[in-house]
Amino acid sequence: LEPCCHWGRTPPCTDAILEHKIARVVVGCLDPNPLVAGKGLEILRGAGIECDSGVLEDECHAINEVFFHYITTKKPYVVMKYAMTLDGHIAAYTGDSKWITGETARAQVQQTRKWLSSIMVGIGTVLADDPMLNCRIEPGVDPIRLVCDSTLRIPLDSQLVRTAKDIPTWVFCANADVRRKTALEDAGVKVIPLPDESGTHVDLAAAMDYLGQEQVDSVLLEGGGTLNGEALRLGLVDRVQAYIAPKLIGGATARGPVEGPGIARMADALTLDDLTITRLDDDILIEGRIRKD
């Protein structure tokens, strides 16, 4: 990335380069931050330093994808991840979902949790699985845990609430019962009322805007079909990670990874670009960016 030329959490990189009399600088891609945006190289070239830019530019954009998205949109980069059977289910008709994929695939998910700054689920996932939503690899950094819970049904004895003073835990709601809100806040949970126009559900788009304002640059969606469907409907998803296990479970009522009203015509289906396919023992990870025309 282009050396910065402004003060942020650290001093300007251009000052350090000039101070140490570095003769040549090689840059993969320019910094889209308006505070930099070519100014870093301009300063260095003005001081007589040889600068080459655009070296492996596409690869550098891929490495900095989250940063570039956040700095240009002020909204978090959203990755929708799910694990499903070969016949398209994320759980059996009983609700049982442990485990669809094997250990290698689940370890890969922990790497994604380490990469992104927050993880979001719906209240249905919390009630069904009582997840911890932490990063279980070392050295790891736990993501901020986000829950969409319109009526604050999250149990006070859930793992998320019991550990909220150790790992940041934010709950978005629509209708906040004062006593319930106070109890959650006393346990260390940050409660954020963001109702939609109906006043009955969380406004997911507003939640993403809020996260951007709070400098949360990325979100891993690990919820069920309801949350995924709404995020896709609103055009909030940037990347999809679909883990597919070679298992068949059937069931007319077994849940799928994307629900909601759906798309009426195949011609209007969302399409993934820049696909990669990774074998993880018996499982397969298909990953790509949502095409946004």
Side-chain angles (χ1 to χ4, degrees):
L1 187 64
E2 174 187 5
C4 66
C5 54
H6 67 289
W7 279 84
R9 294 176 182 173
T10 57
C13 296
T14 49
D15 287 2
I17 291 170
L18 294 172
E19 178 185 349
H20 291 280
K21 297 182 171 59
I22 292 171
R24 179 172 179 242
V25 173
V26 179
V27 171
C29 52
L30 298 182
D31 189 338
N33 188 334
L35 296 174
V36 187
K39 299 183 187 75
L41 288 185
E42 184 180 337
I43 290 171
L44 297 179
R45 286 177 175 138
I49 294 174
E50 179 184 354
C51 297
D52 296 324
S53 63
V55 179
L56 297 176
E57 188 169 10
D58 290 343
E59 290 84 348
C60 290
H61 270 282
I63 291 172
N64 290 294
E65 191 170 17
V66 168
F67 170 72
F68 285 173
H69 176 87
Y70 178 72
I71 207 69
T72 56
T73 67
K74 299 304 180 185
K75 295 182 180 181
Y77 185 80
V78 179
V79 177
M80 185 178 77
K81 166 262 166 184
Y82 56 83
M84 71 178 187
T85 59
L86 197 57
D87 53 348
H89 299 302
I90 61 172
Y93 74 90
T94 60
D96 180 59
S97 61
K98 291 186 171 59
W99 294 104
I100 292 175
T101 54
E103 291 184 6
T104 301
R106 298 202 298 275
Q108 182 78 7
V109 172
Q110 297 302 315
Q111 292 290 344
T112 304
R113 289 186 179 184
K114 181 179 179 180
W115 167 42
L116 302 176
S117 58
S118 68
I119 181 170
M120 176 180 282
V121 298
I123 185 59
T125 297
V126 175
L127 296 176
D129 300 336
D130 189 24
M132 185 69 172
L133 302 181
N134 61 334
C135 181
R136 295 189 288 273
I137 54 175
E138 296 294 342
V141 178
D142 291 320
I144 299 170
R145 303 178 301 185
L146 312 170
V147 180
C148 291
D149 180 9
S150 296
T151 56
L152 289 185
R153 291 186 293 157
I154 185 169
L156 295 176
D157 62 350
S158 64
Q159 290 196 92
L160 294 177
V161 175
R162 286 190 287 108
T163 58
K165 291 183 178 178
D166 300 316
I167 304 174
T169 306
W170 302 358
V171 175
F172 295 104
C173 66
N175 299 309
D177 177 84
V178 175
R179 287 180 297 180
R180 187 75 174 171
K181 181 175 182 288
T182 300
L184 289 169
E185 290 175 337
D186 288 345
V189 175
K190 183 176 182 178
V191 179
I192 307 153
L194 283 177
D196 62 8
E197 291 183 356
S198 71
T200 58
H201 295 91
V202 172
D203 186 329
L204 192 56
M208 293 300 174
D209 289 341
Y210 176 88
L211 292 172
Q213 294 165 10
E214 293 295 309
Q215 299 185 348
V216 177
D217 66 2
S218 50
V219 177
L220 175 61
L221 286 184
E222 273 205 25
T226 301
L227 181 64
N228 289 344
E230 181 67 0
L232 287 170
R233 185 185 72 81
L234 294 171
L236 301 174
V237 178
D238 299 292
R239 174 174 288 272
V240 174
Q241 294 180 338
Y243 290 84
I244 303 173
K247 299 175 182 178
L248 303 169
I249 59 173
T253 59
R255 303 292 293 269
V258 179
E259 297 177 354
I263 289 173
R265 303 188 312 145
M266 285 302 301
D268 297 327
L270 299 176
T271 304
L272 299 185
D273 289 329
D274 301 322
L275 283 179
T276 61
I277 301 175
T278 306
R279 181 77 179 265
L280 300 166
D281 290 337
D282 291 336
D283 304 313
I284 293 173
L285 168 61
I286 299 179
E287 186 171 8
R289 293 189 189 94
I290 294 280
R291 181 184 299 169
K292 297 184 178 181
D293 297 324

